[in-house]
Amino acid sequence: TPIKWTWWRIVELMFRVQFRLPKEMIPSTPIEIDVFTGGQILNYEFRDSLKDGTVKAIKGSLEKFTPNGIVLQDGTELECDLVVFGTGFAKNYGLFDRLIQSRLDREKDGLYLYRSMIPPGLKDIAFVGSEVSTFNNILTHGLQAEWLAQVLAGKIDLPSSGSMIQAMEVEQAWKRSWMP
């Protein structure tokens, strides 16, 4: 309805103003689609970090990682401590080489991971906030990050690859029993 459409355009405008988003950083997906299909709203800490310069948002395509940062496809070299991929609603695993992509074992209905984070056949890769089994929100991401930190600190042991795959198959069967 026109009233709902107007409401969401006002919400989009509010975020654009609050976060001082330049035109090239404004998502093309309407906010009501993004929010209800797993999108994430930025928080004020991110906005304030952009404002005070402790975080710099740059839109570009990654060419390669370097020991101290990254090189973008346009040749720009950036020193950085953290790289966040904002790939939009359509998931894109192009940052991985073809061998790793093939070992992710993506299915037509998604990428299934142990605890929605760990691909059993790959070492040193985890997804936080990407392949979630619930509504995608900051609490889910926080819980995933905390659990993964415990794994990395050696406080939680991962099960064998076979046990992880078995747990993933149970989740996969459950999802396929009710999701379109």
Side-chain angles (χ1 to χ4, degrees):
T1 66
I3 293 173
K4 288 181 185 177
W5 183 90
T6 302
W7 164 255
W8 287 114
R9 300 303 69 81
I10 290 169
V11 171
E12 286 176 335
L13 178 62
M14 179 184 71
F15 281 116
R16 280 197 301 265
V17 171
Q18 282 186 341
F19 288 94
R20 295 182 179 96
L21 295 173
K23 186 175 183 173
E24 68 273 5
M25 300 294 277
I26 296 171
S28 59
T29 304
I31 194 169
E32 68 272 21
I33 303 299
D34 198 31
V35 167
F36 293 107
T37 56
Q40 182 62 51
I41 305 278
L42 302 173
N43 63 26
Y44 294 111
E45 184 179 358
F46 179 73
R47 178 201 64 191
D48 295 343
S49 296
L50 284 172
K51 188 176 177 180
D52 69 22
T54 55
V55 169
K56 185 174 182 181
I58 297 172
K59 185 176 180 179
S61 297
L62 179 68
E63 178 67 29
K64 65 180 179 178
F65 285 97
T66 65
N68 297 317
I70 61 171
V71 176
L72 298 178
Q73 286 183 351
D74 68 4
T76 304
E77 294 186 37
L78 302 168
E79 285 192 28
C80 55
D81 299 316
L82 176 69
V83 176
V84 176
F85 290 94
T87 60
F89 178 69
K91 298 206 177 181
N92 180 336
Y93 303 94
L95 69 126
F96 299 114
D97 65 39
R98 288 187 179 141
L99 176 62
I100 290 176
Q101 287 184 50
S102 69
R103 292 181 62 202
L104 284 174
D105 294 327
R106 288 182 295 175
E107 302 273 341
K108 65 181 178 183
D109 59 342
L111 176 59
Y112 289 90
L113 304 167
Y114 178 69
R115 297 253 177 152
S116 300
M117 288 180 280
I118 308 288
L122 294 168
K123 291 183 115 185
D124 302 325
I125 293 180
F127 294 85
V128 174
S130 172
E131 307 297 329
V132 293
S133 60
T134 60
F135 181 73
N136 192 7
N137 65 48
I138 198 68
L139 177 60
T140 302
H141 304 165
L143 291 170
Q144 284 185 322
E146 179 60 32
W147 183 84
L148 184 58
Q150 297 295 314
V151 169
L152 295 174
K155 296 178 181 176
I156 295 176
D157 293 324
L158 290 175
S160 69
S161 184
S163 294
M164 285 193 267
I165 291 168
Q166 188 176 22
M168 290 165 39
E169 288 171 347
V170 169
E171 182 178 333
Q172 187 180 54
W174 171 75
K175 281 184 177 181
R176 288 178 174 171
S177 74
W178 66 275
M179 293 179 91

